[in-house]
Amino acid sequence: MKILVINGPNLNMLGIREPDHYGRETYADLVAKIQKHCAAKDILVEVYQSNHEGDLVDKIQSAYGCVDGIVINPAAYTHTSVAILDAVKSVSIPTVEVHISKVEEREDFRRISFVRLACVKTITGHGTDGYLEAIDYLTEEYRHDRHV
Ligand code: DQA
């Protein structure tokens, strides 16, 4: 089973940016936590981050036929990007949307999610544990559909 974890803009600033919303763990801590979790469960994982919308679209497209599930936190692009929504729809790979903070309890514009329309599940407000929950969901629900 292979999972691709995609993080959008400013998530490389975890640990520095707005700790009241995103906690004190750094982006490197997050990557290490995901890798350790997946190693223990024999899941192949790639963790990718970009601040650029087109790069995120390219990464989603490159997953076609190569991964069994995607975990995506598109960060600010969640609330604006039809391109990321269309990319997730294009590849037909089960995708879980993750947000570290409880987006529905913040500003009104954070309640809008374009990518959610293409996702099988959304996890918000569980901190970085939300990524692990998303990986577990995909590996449990889609283990019989695996291609990789
Ligand atoms: C976020 C929430 C978004 O609204 C914000 O733009 C982010 C991070 C989260 O993980 O809680 O950058 O996706």
Side-chain angles (χ1 to χ4, degrees), residues 7-11 14 17-18 21-22 73-79 97-103 106-107 109-112 123-125 127 131:
N7 281 299
N10 302 306
L11 289 168
L14 282 179
R17 72 180 289 215
E18 303 179 84
H21 284 304
Y22 305 118
N73 182 349
Y77 289 134
T78 307
H79 319 300
E97 174 191 17
V98 171
H99 299 287
I100 296 168
S101 66
K102 215 167 183 48
V103 277
R106 297 178 63 192
E107 300 95 326
F109 67 83
R110 291 188 207 274
R111 294 179 192 195
I112 297 161
I123 297 169
T124 71
Y131 291 84

Side-chain angles (χ1 to χ4, degrees), residues 2-138:
K2 183 162 183 195
I3 302 285
L4 172 63
V5 179
I6 299 179
N7 281 299
N10 302 306
L11 289 168
N12 55 315
M13 297 295 280
L14 282 179
I16 299 166
R17 72 180 289 215
E18 303 179 84
D20 289 350
H21 284 304
Y22 305 118
R24 300 253 171 221
E25 271 174 282
T26 65
Y27 183 70
D29 293 337
L30 170 64
V31 173
K33 181 171 173 169
I34 291 169
Q35 285 171 339
K36 186 175 171 204
H37 184 79
C38 289
K41 298 195 167 203
D42 230 3
I43 300 163
L44 295 173
V45 70
E46 178 184 351
V47 187
Y48 176 83
Q49 190 275 333
S50 174
N51 293 323
H52 306 282
E53 187 176 18
D55 289 345
L56 295 165
V57 169
D58 286 345
K59 192 67 191 176
I60 294 163
Q61 289 183 6
S62 76
Y64 179 69
C66 300
V67 307
D68 301 297
I70 297 175
V71 173
I72 189 164
N73 182 349
Y77 289 134
T78 307
H79 319 300
T80 62
S81 180
V82 177
I84 290 175
L85 165 66
D86 285 350
V88 173
K89 280 187 170 175
S90 300
V91 294
S92 302
I93 297 168
T95 298
V96 177
E97 174 191 17
V98 171
H99 299 287
I100 296 168
S101 66
K102 215 167 183 48
V103 277
E104 61 275 20
E105 293 181 2
R106 297 178 63 192
E107 300 95 326
D108 283 351
F109 67 83
R110 291 188 207 274
R111 294 179 192 195
I112 297 161
S113 169
F114 287 93
V115 77
R116 192 164 302 167
L117 298 170
C119 290
V120 294
K121 189 177 173 68
T122 295
I123 297 169
T124 71
H126 294 185
T128 58
D129 285 350
Y131 291 84
L132 309 187
E133 288 169 32
I135 289 165
D136 290 347
Y137 178 82
L138 287 169

